[in-house]
Amino acid sequence: MKIKVFALSLCLVAGLGQTQATPSSRYSSDKRSEFRIGYSDGLTLGTASFWGMGIGDALTGTKRQDQKGSGVIGLGYRYSLNRFRVGLDLGFASVSSKYDYAGSKQKDIKETQINFIVMPVAELTYYKKGVVELYGSVAAGIDLTNTKEEGLTETGKAHADTKARNATDFAFQVNPIAVCVGNDHIGGFLEAGVGTKGFLTAGVSLKF
């Protein structure tokens, strides 16, 4: 399902680029490289983690509380090829919760999941005028997760799985609507879409 969404969105972004075609000289710049720092809401990542936890809780009868997600802190690099940009996005997020063990009424165990996201990305600028630029992007890669437990009570310490569990999952992000406002040195951006990082991403870009 994720792959189908990714493919359809790729076609959508490409279609936007064709319908808004303008001379490539408008997109030319002396600054080819761009470094980005951003923050994403991480809602889809947190929801997927909590949903997976919920299945296990239903089977074991545990009750989970204090569920928290950090959002996704991201770093990115882009290399400009006129209307197109290619690069790499890195993301870091954490999801944690506390739960009881075997019907205990206390918060016996704290479970923490650390996510490290690596995604090659491609962008297409379909409108640029002055300091305003509209673009779309697609990205696909991997989500490396590390999950560990910590005992908070004597019962929790006796039953917590202290051995870290590692997993690798498919990660993607499609942002068909994105805007950047700035000059050839610095700018701010806002991206809207769907994927591993969530629905909204905002940040700052530095060109050099």
Side-chain angles (χ1 to χ4, degrees):
M1 182 62 183
K2 291 182 179 179
I3 296 177
K4 290 182 179 179
V5 171
F6 176 77
L8 289 173
S9 301
L10 178 62
C11 294
L12 174 62
V13 172
L16 286 172
Q18 292 178 354
T19 57
Q20 301 291 337
T22 55
S24 60
S25 59
R26 174 180 295 185
Y27 305 96
S28 299
S29 173
D30 294 335
K31 305 296 189 297
R32 292 287 187 178
S33 294
E34 181 178 344
F35 179 72
R36 296 183 181 181
I37 302 174
Y39 178 81
S40 306
D41 55 62
L43 291 177
T44 53
L45 184 63
T47 300
S49 299
F50 292 144
W51 185 77
M53 294 174 185
I55 293 178
D57 294 346
L59 296 175
T60 60
T62 59
K63 296 180 181 179
R64 195 172 295 270
Q65 298 176 318
D66 295 346
Q67 298 177 341
K68 299 178 181 179
S70 67
V72 180
I73 300 171
L75 297 175
Y77 172 79
R78 302 290 186 274
Y79 184 80
S80 177
L81 301 168
N82 292 325
R83 298 182 61 196
F84 296 92
R85 288 189 292 264
V86 294
L88 183 71
D89 276 349
L90 304 177
F92 173 84
S94 67
V95 179
S96 66
S97 63
K98 298 177 182 178
Y99 67 92
D100 59 14
Y101 178 81
S104 170
K105 295 183 179 180
Q106 302 183 68
K107 299 173 183 176
D108 298 309
I109 298 173
K110 179 180 180 180
E111 184 176 83
T112 302
Q113 176 180 297
I114 304 298
N115 297 77
F116 182 64
I117 303 165
V118 182
M119 295 189 294
V121 59
E123 292 182 350
L124 172 65
T125 299
Y126 48 85
Y127 176 82
K128 184 175 183 179
K129 185 174 183 180
V131 297
V132 178
E133 176 184 304
L134 301 179
Y135 64 94
S137 67
V138 291
I142 57 175
D143 175 16
L144 305 172
T145 60
N146 177 278
T147 305
K148 61 181 180 180
E149 296 180 345
E150 175 188 0
L152 304 177
T153 65
E154 291 303 319
T155 300
K157 292 177 182 179
H159 296 90
D161 184 2
T162 57
K163 184 178 180 181
R165 306 187 301 274
N166 298 309
T168 303
D169 298 305
F170 175 70
F172 79 101
Q173 187 69 35
V174 178
N175 296 320
I177 302 174
V179 59
C180 180
V181 179
N183 53 34
D184 282 343
H185 301 284
I186 187 171
F189 63 90
L190 178 65
E191 301 174 343
V194 65
T196 305
K197 295 194 296 183
F199 300 102
L200 291 175
T201 299
V204 177
S205 66
L206 304 173
K207 298 179 181 180
F208 56 94

